[in-house]
Amino acid sequence: MAISTSFSTALTGLKAHQTALDVTSNNISNASNPDYVRERAVFSTLSPINSIPGDIGAGVEISSIYRIRDTFLFNRYISASAAYSNLNTQEQYLKEIATYFPDVTDNGLYKDITDFFNAWQTFANNPNDGSVKVDLAAKTMALTDNIKTLKGKLEDIKKNINDSLNSKLTEANNILKQIAELNKEITAHEANNKSNANELRDKRDALEKRLKELLDVKVYKSGIVSKNAQGAETIDYEKDYQISLGGYPLVDNSTYHKLSIESLNANLMIGIEKQDHTVVDITKSIRGGEIGALLLIRGDEFNSSGNPINGTLGNLMISLDAFANGLIRSVNSIYSYSAQESVETDNINSPNTIPADLKNISLDSLYSM
């Protein structure tokens, strides 16, 4: 074997180890990058030179650079991340709602209700005291103002949720588009069955993680490949890639379908456009991720006024309206029994019927009805 062949064999070793050092340097450089997956260079011997009495090695090469990644652990990780995003989003809005309904006795709606009924009790004991009447009117005004304020705050939260839904749905559509484009690039890059699109796969994994944080999508992959080199094993997917939501496809390799953003009484609803261009409403089937959390807080069913009738906000609004209506009916009922033309001992006349809304009705006018 010529001396030049020996130099050539040694040169293959230098080049291979230089590549391995480059891979290691890249790993170190991306140590703080949460979306980066560590890589490893795989050494393989070159085809030997056939000779007698035996083959002579021709050196070494880097046969592959692959990611040190376990897909199953990654799936568990993004599932936990999606659950955290869902609960964290709910917590943020529930904390805000809780500030308007404090569970202390000396503040908020509880205090106003207590003051209101105490004022009525004082009035019952001192019906001819003018200052007591003024105090009752003030306490009544404070209670009604607080109820109106609380209803307005809940309306503001609903509006903020709709704005957030619009922003997050737009982000989700952008992610779907980027994933479809990355799938196309990955397919082209790995068409020779030798190259590994590691950086592109890292980007796709990061987008997939963020998409799962936004929506409870299902990701389907095929072509599991397990590699074991130099004592380390990695598992990855290399072929088909699909994403679906509510049983409808969003991404099929390099094609994608946008989420449709519809409006129902000024409230955003989520749909998917099918192949026949009809839109299917899937709002009620979304429960995971940040968008699912927003829907759970806001609700997904509405009355003719555009107010939710389910969800945390919907239940609060219904309870607040029911309390206000019950309070109005009860107070007016008591007031109607006292609005009589004459009262004699042991002889109580039938009460006059009066409208439920006394806002613009004077006391004197009650007797002429």
Side-chain angles (χ1 to χ4, degrees):
M1 184 173 66
I3 188 68
S4 60
T5 304
S6 300
F7 286 146
S8 178
T9 300
L11 182 60
T12 62
L14 291 173
K15 290 181 177 181
H17 283 84
Q18 179 62 58
T19 301
L21 285 174
D22 292 340
V23 173
T24 301
S25 298
N26 189 44
N27 289 337
I28 296 173
S29 300
N30 286 276
S32 299
N33 183 358
D35 298 328
Y36 178 77
V37 177
R38 190 160 56 97
E39 299 175 351
R40 168 167 289 166
V42 178
F43 289 84
S44 298
T45 58
L46 292 170
S47 299
I49 300 174
N50 298 323
S51 65
I52 299 175
D55 294 343
I56 300 175
V60 68
E61 67 175 353
I62 301 296
S63 61
S64 177
I65 300 175
Y66 64 86
R67 302 188 300 165
I68 304 176
R69 174 182 182 276
D70 192 317
T71 297
F72 302 113
L73 291 179
F74 174 75
N75 289 339
R76 292 292 298 273
Y77 165 64
I78 61 175
S79 295
S81 179
Y84 170 79
S85 297
N86 179 277
L87 295 175
N88 185 55
T89 301
Q90 291 189 58
E91 181 188 27
Q92 292 176 8
Y93 282 95
L94 290 175
K95 280 184 175 179
E96 181 179 357
I97 293 172
T99 60
Y100 305 130
F101 297 90
D103 56 355
V104 293
T105 60
D106 58 349
N107 192 16
L109 186 61
Y110 183 94
K111 182 177 183 299
D112 290 336
I113 294 174
T114 302
D115 292 344
F116 173 74
F117 283 107
N118 287 340
W120 272 104
Q121 184 63 48
T122 303
F123 175 69
N125 296 330
N126 304 278
N128 297 317
D129 190 334
S131 63
V132 172
K133 297 177 182 178
V134 172
D135 181 66
L136 174 59
K139 293 298 191 299
T140 303
M141 182 65 70
L143 176 60
T144 55
D145 286 346
N146 197 356
I147 292 175
K148 292 178 181 178
T149 299
L150 288 174
K151 186 66 177 294
K153 294 295 185 182
L154 296 180
E155 291 281 357
D156 291 341
I157 294 176
K158 186 192 73 170
K159 182 179 183 302
N160 291 337
I161 288 178
N162 281 325
D163 292 341
S164 183
L165 279 171
N166 185 61
S167 175
K168 293 182 184 299
L169 286 169
T170 300
E171 181 184 0
N173 279 329
N174 289 334
I175 290 176
L176 293 173
K177 180 181 179 181
Q178 292 180 63
I179 289 178
E181 292 174 348
L182 283 172
N183 285 338
K184 185 177 181 179
E185 293 182 45
I186 291 171
T187 300
H189 188 85
E190 298 179 346
N192 57 10
N193 293 322
K194 294 182 179 180
S195 301
N196 293 323
N198 295 329
E199 303 293 336
L200 296 177
R201 288 178 177 272
D202 288 350
K203 292 180 180 179
R204 187 177 69 179
D205 287 348
L207 291 172
E208 179 184 324
K209 174 177 174 292
R210 178 55 187 156
L211 184 62
K212 291 279 287 185
E213 291 173 351
L214 290 171
L215 287 163
D216 50 347
V217 297
K218 304 297 182 183
V219 181
Y220 304 93
K221 306 173 186 177
S222 64
I224 298 180
V225 175
S226 176
K227 299 178 181 178
N228 194 335
Q230 301 173 349
E233 184 175 17
T234 183
I235 301 174
D236 207 345
Y237 291 97
E238 291 195 350
K239 294 184 179 179
D240 293 335
Y241 186 102
Q242 287 90 28
I243 298 178
S244 67
L245 178 63
Y248 297 94
L250 292 178
V251 174
D252 185 4
N253 292 318
S254 60
T255 61
Y256 77 100
H257 301 276
K258 290 179 62 176
L259 291 167
S260 173
I261 305 175
E262 307 294 331
S263 178
L264 176 62
N265 294 327
N267 296 287
L268 294 185
M269 309 298 282
I270 305 170
I272 292 181
E273 184 175 330
K274 298 193 299 183
Q275 292 181 348
D276 59 359
H277 302 294
T278 59
V279 177
V280 179
D281 186 355
I282 60 169
T283 307
K284 293 184 179 181
S285 65
I286 300 175
R287 288 294 177 264
E290 296 174 10
I291 292 177
L294 293 175
L295 294 174
L296 285 173
I297 296 294
R298 187 200 68 179
D300 52 30
E301 295 182 9
F302 306 89
N303 58 24
S304 58
S305 300
N307 291 324
I309 58 176
N310 64 348
T312 303
L313 279 183
N315 292 332
L316 281 173
M317 287 182 175
I318 290 173
S319 298
L320 198 60
D321 288 342
F323 168 73
N325 291 331
L327 185 65
I328 292 171
R329 286 195 299 269
S330 298
V331 172
N332 287 348
S333 176
I334 294 173
Y335 191 54
S336 68
Y337 274 93
S338 66
Q340 304 178 60
E341 295 182 0
S342 64
V343 177
E344 298 178 0
T345 305
D346 299 328
N347 182 18
I348 300 178
N349 298 329
S350 299
N352 292 333
T353 301
I354 62 174
D357 187 1
L358 301 176
K359 180 178 180 182
N360 299 315
I361 300 176
S362 64
L363 183 61
D364 294 338
S365 66
L366 292 174
Y367 296 104
S368 61
M369 291 184 177

